[in-house]
Amino acid sequence: MLIFYALLGMVVFSLLTVVLLWIKYGLEGLMNFQELLSGAENMFILRVSVTAQQLGLFLCPAVLLAIAERKGMNRFYGFNKPHPAILGLVVVISICAMPAMEWITSLNQEMVLPSFLKELENWMKESEKNAMEATMAFLKMSTFWDYLLNMGMIALLPAIAEEMLFRGALQRTFLRITGHPHLTIWLCAIIFSAIHMQFYGFLPRMLLGAGFGYLYYWTGSLWYTIFAHFLNNGYQVTVVWYMQMKGMPMSMTEKTMDTPWYGYLISAILTLTLFRFLKSAIVKIRSQEENTGRRRYNCFPMNNEDEKIKNN
């Protein structure tokens, strides 16, 4: 059903996009669409297209699934008040993981396919180049308003829409089918990374997806994964905006932190340790809520089977 909902969402929002562009540019403008794409209106069209994709392909299917299940959005996806301590741990984990993720990213970018897959590799590089050009066009910011707009479109909207689909809808659906949380979480992480079509960032994005998946499975609340996703995207937007405000070249965003090998190792160990501590903290809060009979923060596993969080 999710595939049907996604197709329906894409059709509806594609039609809405065409109507919006027709209102703005008229029929003649649509007939000369390639000229619009190569002209000054390119950024507006790009923003509208990306917004339509986020709403139609990601958010719409998740909302329709909750409606089809005849459950309220809050109950179905777990939108109860998040616990401040868990949010704080998410921030600390995000910071500690940065060097390790940088190392994994650099490894992924050095990927070389066998010679018989040279054509595939060339296509992957071309796709990566086009995606990077579109991203850099998005990230050109000259005012604080541009920064806020990008924080909304690149950080907030994807955080909500993608987490509702990949963790809220897809992970829940796959868990019902497989009955195995680890398999489900990693399958969803692979799909989450693959759908972005950025092959030289596949590994770090897959690991991010897995981290978000475990966070959702342990807590049963999408607020934490939305927050973590927003932090990741928002940090990148903020760094690029700061560099532009200081007149620094955009090419500097590709430079690494020159961390020694043991720095990457410490980062990886700290991140894994903090994830274990996070799981323990969730169990502790859950026990307190069980004892008091108050589920104020919704720190319950997504399938509400109390023992699974202790055994997985």
Side-chain angles (χ1 to χ4, degrees):
M1 290 301 292
L2 270 178
I3 295 176
F4 171 74
Y5 294 150
L7 291 173
L8 177 63
M10 282 303 297
V11 169
V12 171
F13 279 90
S14 294
L15 290 174
L16 289 175
T17 300
V18 172
V19 171
L20 178 61
L21 295 178
W22 174 70
I23 293 173
K24 183 173 176 63
Y25 301 113
L27 183 60
E28 184 178 349
L30 291 180
M31 295 296 291
N32 299 291
F33 193 67
Q34 289 300 321
E35 292 183 14
L36 287 175
L37 286 176
S38 60
E41 297 296 322
N42 172 270
M43 185 50 59
F44 174 79
I45 296 173
L46 184 61
R47 291 185 188 279
V48 170
S49 300
V50 170
T51 302
Q53 180 192 55
Q54 289 289 331
L55 295 176
L57 184 60
F58 300 140
L59 186 61
C60 184
V63 172
L64 290 177
L65 180 64
I67 294 173
E69 293 279 344
R70 298 184 179 180
K71 297 177 182 177
M73 296 288 289
N74 286 350
R75 180 186 173 194
F76 193 66
Y77 290 120
F79 281 121
N80 287 5
K81 183 178 179 181
H83 196 290
I86 303 301
L87 292 176
L89 277 172
V90 169
V91 174
V92 174
I93 291 173
S94 299
I95 295 171
C96 289
M98 288 175 63
M101 293 299 287
E102 180 187 82
W103 177 69
I104 293 168
T105 300
S106 65
L107 284 181
N108 198 163
Q109 290 175 346
E110 294 171 3
M111 176 180 63
V112 178
L113 297 181
S115 57
F116 68 91
L117 294 176
K118 193 65 178 178
E119 290 187 10
L120 175 61
E121 184 177 359
N122 290 336
W123 174 76
M124 289 167 59
K125 288 181 177 179
E126 186 65 25
S127 298
E128 192 78 10
K129 179 184 175 183
N130 293 336
M132 182 58 66
E133 288 175 353
T135 301
M136 289 297 103
F138 247 114
L139 290 173
K140 287 182 179 179
M141 297 169 277
S142 57
T143 66
F144 187 65
W145 166 248
D146 291 334
Y147 168 69
L148 291 180
L149 186 60
N150 276 344
M151 284 294 286
M153 293 192 63
I154 299 176
L156 184 60
L157 180 58
I160 295 172
E162 293 179 14
E163 290 309 306
M164 284 187 67
L165 177 68
F166 292 104
R167 254 59 64 180
L170 194 63
Q171 185 166 308
R172 178 183 298 274
T173 301
F174 277 15
L175 186 58
R176 288 176 177 175
I177 296 171
T178 67
H180 195 292
H182 299 298
L183 175 62
T184 293
I185 288 168
W186 285 99
L187 278 175
C188 291
I190 291 170
I191 296 172
F192 168 70
S193 186
I195 206 167
H196 283 81
M197 295 294 288
Q198 290 177 287
F199 308 101
Y200 291 89
F202 181 87
L203 287 178
R205 190 174 289 106
M206 181 188 68
L207 292 175
L208 274 177
F212 297 159
Y214 280 108
L215 186 57
Y216 180 51
Y217 177 71
W218 290 338
T219 64
S221 174
L222 270 182
W223 279 129
Y224 302 109
T225 64
I226 289 172
F227 179 64
H229 199 142
F230 175 79
L231 279 181
N232 179 73
N233 292 14
Y235 168 77
Q236 297 175 45
V237 173
T238 302
V239 167
V240 174
W241 175 73
Y242 175 82
M243 292 174 65
Q244 291 182 50
M245 293 302 100
K246 296 297 181 180
M248 302 165 69
M250 294 280 281
S251 58
M252 289 189 65
T253 57
E254 299 177 8
K255 289 189 175 181
T256 62
M257 293 185 288
D258 295 324
T259 307
W261 67 268
Y262 54 84
Y264 295 131
L265 181 61
I266 291 171
S267 171
I269 293 173
L270 270 177
T271 302
L272 292 175
T273 302
L274 285 169
F275 257 105
R276 294 288 298 179
F277 181 73
L278 174 66
K279 181 180 176 182
S280 299
I282 292 169
V283 172
K284 182 178 179 180
I285 294 169
R286 183 164 63 92
S287 298
Q288 292 173 349
E289 292 189 345
E290 285 178 330
N291 293 334
T292 60
R294 297 174 62 194
R295 294 181 58 176
R296 181 182 180 188
Y297 295 111
N298 201 47
C299 282
F300 283 70
M302 59 182 287
N303 55 2
N304 288 329
E305 295 179 17
D306 294 347
E307 294 303 315
K308 282 201 172 184
I309 195 173
K310 298 176 183 177
N311 298 328
N312 292 286

